[in-house]
Amino acid sequence: SSQVLMGDDIEAFVAATSQWADDTLELLQRLLQNVANSPQEAKYRRLKLANPKIGTLMEEPGAIDGFQALGWTLSTNGDTLELPAIASLVPLRTVLDRTARSSQPMVSNTGGDAVPWVVTVLRGPLRVKLELPGSATLASLKAAVEQSGPLGRIPRGRQQLLAGYPPRPVPERPTEGGLTTLANLGLRSVMLQDIWEETVSSLRAGTLKFCQLSEVLARPAIRSLAFQDNHGFVLERARALLRTRAAAYAARDEMRAARRCFCSLWPQATYTERIGFCNEVAACWASDDNSEEGDSDDEVSLDFEQLLLEVDRQQVFVSVVDQINAVSPAKLCLPLEVTFRNEAAEDAGGLRREFFNEFGRAMGLAEGLWRQTPGGGLAPAPHMTASSRIPDDSQRKAAYQGCGRIFGMALCQAARPPKQPLLLGLPLARFFIRAVQGDTAEAIQDLQEELRAEQHSSSPDFRASSAFQTRSLRELGLEGQLTFSHACPGGQCVDLVPGGRDIEVTDETKEEWLRLTLRYELVESIEEAAASFRMGVHEVVGGAHLVLLTASELGEAWSGRGVVSDDDLRTWRSRAVISPAVRQQAEWFFELLSVGELRSARGRVLKFVTGSDRWPVDSSGFNFLIEPMDGGDETLPCAMTCGNMLQLPRYSRQQPLCDRLKQAMDWGLEFALA
């Protein structure tokens, strides 16, 4: 449908053009006039931002917003503005007429142009004086800079003018009530920077923040430079920034900006390419040379080559988090060796898998810090509940940060040979992963979708239903039942607005209540936990996984799948190396898993033989051995989780095999170590 520009938008666009240099305004009028004169010519409706003149025009205050208000749309890759053939030309002609009138020379009542305005422009050690009319605007100054040979003829779209102490960017928007002239601003001296040169220098030095890069890439003139001749350089340096574990890059705003940058710089990247780069980063930190600026020599020059972790099965969560928080991030990347207290077992891989599996489950039991959603996902307890459980802010944040470190370790340690996934026993709720990534839901539909993803099919939450918005509260049986408050576990209540518990929800206000209650539950109440968890992940393995993967992809990288499907079972069987001595018993074993008594116990059997009941999404490295052992129908089978090995006696029939295997799993005889 055509888009009609409203009066306020016309005034805003025309007001913005009053700040533009004459040549820029003339270009605008020529572009609009071309369309008005030849509306059927497609070439006039397409503006390529890579064109230097077009790019400079789009750098002017209000230009992009104005063109989009007129109906132009930005292409997916951001390099073209196009006006659809069905767009109305009435707004365009109106703006053309108004800007033509506003572009007439202004008469100064004060004689302001009688005395020239001199501005000293500093670029490095260079000082250049520019003489302009007294009524000149900032756009006029930029135009003069662009024409100055001594200053390098820097295009307006690449200029950054700074003034004051400490130097700050000079505001480009019109001040309320009139033009922003150089005299109004009192500008006698400015510092000049070439934004593109500064960006390249900072990228090479590895000091640029993603918030800065995102802002720079939003400038059409620089965007065309970055996405054409220099795309490979910018992408590679942006990926290098993901390798750092510096705390500044773990902030939520940095995560959001990084995701925006890579959506533009690497839009066609496949999952294989993205996860491949993430694993490459994890392997880098898992290598022997994993020190980074900021790690002291004592922390990285270690007298031993392993990180030793002792786990108490009775208190898995408490016994581990304190140990993890007591060591530096560099040490957490060393080869991990796990022991379970009072158990004589050596870790050749199986205990590591079991540890991460058990820790995920233990988080679900950490009352007051974590909770399980109806759908089985892990989410932090609401802030009010967590702060009641651990009043000390630093201790509470440290607990969440320690959990984040362990999730980071799972990615880092899995990058070590034999490069098999180390999966947490329970998945994180998707809405929490999004909060960790800085990609929280905002719109009501998005919030409802996140709620639906974590509800149980047998007890759906009425807030996730579309009926809540389309039917009246009386029809839903909720009239008089809701107030602008949110009930937390333990009976605590949070007002969503001041005095909210005393304000009844009506049909007129239910949509706002829905937005507020879902946003509190899925975003605001877990912000502290998400920030601390994010910091923990980032300081171990950097931000690549958090930035490049979707919430669902990252959840599967951490926890795999909780159900072994028929396809997964076929993969399991195809990867099995079976000793000829127990070939018949192996056939019975897989038949029991496929269609027999063990079909519903595939996860338990998987844990028995590997140490983890989660099936990896990437099963390319999965291996499985079936070997013989002494004994008959009364002998229990044994498993060596370090090598994914199942040892089977030569059972005479399938039923004894089934009975003994279930008995072994029930008794918890998971290990038989040489």
Side-chain angles (χ1 to χ4, degrees), residues 300-378:
V300 297
S301 300
L302 302 168
D303 295 331
F304 47 85
E305 297 180 350
Q306 291 182 314
L307 171 65
L308 305 178
L309 189 64
E310 184 183 57
V311 183
D312 183 349
R313 285 190 187 275
Q314 305 305 313
Q315 303 182 73
V316 174
F317 186 86
V318 175
S319 68
V320 169
V321 171
D322 289 344
Q323 292 181 71
I324 294 300
N325 280 337
V327 298
S328 71
K331 190 181 293 185
L332 296 176
C333 294
L334 291 170
L336 176 64
E337 181 174 332
V338 174
T339 60
F340 284 89
R341 189 171 298 171
N342 300 323
E343 294 183 17
E346 295 181 4
D347 186 6
L351 295 188
R352 284 196 294 278
R353 280 196 295 273
E354 186 180 13
F355 157 65
F356 285 105
N357 187 264
E358 290 299 318
F359 183 80
R361 296 186 177 282
M363 286 171 64
L365 301 175
E367 188 176 351
L369 283 175
W370 294 93
R371 65 181 179 90
Q372 273 191 266
T373 67
L378 283 171

Side-chain angles (χ1 to χ4, degrees), residues 44-61:
Y44 293 140
R45 293 174 173 268
R46 297 186 75 249
L47 304 178
K48 295 183 178 180
L49 302 184
N51 181 300
K53 290 185 177 180
I54 300 296
T56 298
L57 169 62
M58 294 306 165
E59 289 292 338
E60 295 292 352

Side-chain angles (χ1 to χ4, degrees), residues 380-589:
H383 176 72
M384 179 175 286
T385 302
S387 58
S388 298
R389 172 72 173 79
I390 305 180
D392 186 274
D393 288 352
S394 61
Q395 292 182 10
R396 188 174 61 253
K397 292 177 182 178
Y400 288 120
Q401 186 171 343
C403 292
R405 283 182 160 200
I406 291 169
F407 275 68
M409 286 173 62
L411 301 173
C412 185
Q413 296 291 335
R416 292 187 171 279
K419 295 189 175 182
Q420 294 186 359
L422 297 171
L423 304 176
L424 284 296
L426 286 176
L428 292 175
R430 191 173 69 187
F431 67 82
F432 176 62
I433 297 178
R434 290 187 62 175
V436 172
Q437 293 178 303
D439 182 36
T440 52
E442 299 293 339
I444 288 181
Q445 293 78 8
D446 201 6
L447 290 164
Q448 286 184 307
E449 180 58 33
E450 293 305 320
L451 184 65
R452 277 193 291 271
E454 296 300 329
Q455 65 183 13
H456 196 280
S457 58
S458 64
S459 55
D461 192 314
F462 72 88
R463 296 174 301 170
S465 171
S466 59
F468 182 78
Q469 293 172 279
T470 58
R471 299 174 61 187
S472 69
L473 293 176
R474 174 173 294 180
E475 292 175 311
L476 295 169
L478 295 172
E479 189 175 36
Q481 303 299 309
L482 305 174
T483 63
F484 274 84
S485 60
H486 183 90
C488 297
Q492 298 165 310
C493 183
V494 176
D495 285 334
L496 301 175
V497 296
R501 68 193 67 190
D502 298 322
I503 302 175
E504 184 177 318
V505 177
T506 65
D507 286 328
E508 290 72 26
T509 61
K510 67 179 180 179
E511 187 166 322
E512 177 64 7
W513 172 84
L514 181 62
R515 186 186 67 81
L516 290 173
T517 188
L518 291 183
R519 180 162 175 77
Y520 176 80
E521 180 177 333
L522 305 179
V523 180
E524 295 172 1
S525 71
I526 61 172
E527 282 179 335
E528 179 187 88
S532 299
F533 189 96
R534 182 191 312 121
M535 178 64 73
V537 174
H538 196 278
E539 63 187 2
V540 175
V541 78
H545 292 81
L546 300 177
V547 170
L548 296 180
L549 301 184
T550 67
S552 296
E553 290 167 349
L554 183 52
E556 291 184 335
W558 268 327
S559 296
R561 293 194 289 264
V563 175
V564 181
S565 68
D566 290 344
D567 286 341
D568 297 333
L569 182 60
R570 282 189 283 272
T571 299
W572 187 350
R573 185 166 189 166
S574 69
R575 301 287 170 78
V577 178
I578 302 169
S579 168
V582 285
R583 189 170 301 280
Q584 179 60 68
Q585 288 76 16
E587 288 296 322
W588 290 337
F589 170 75

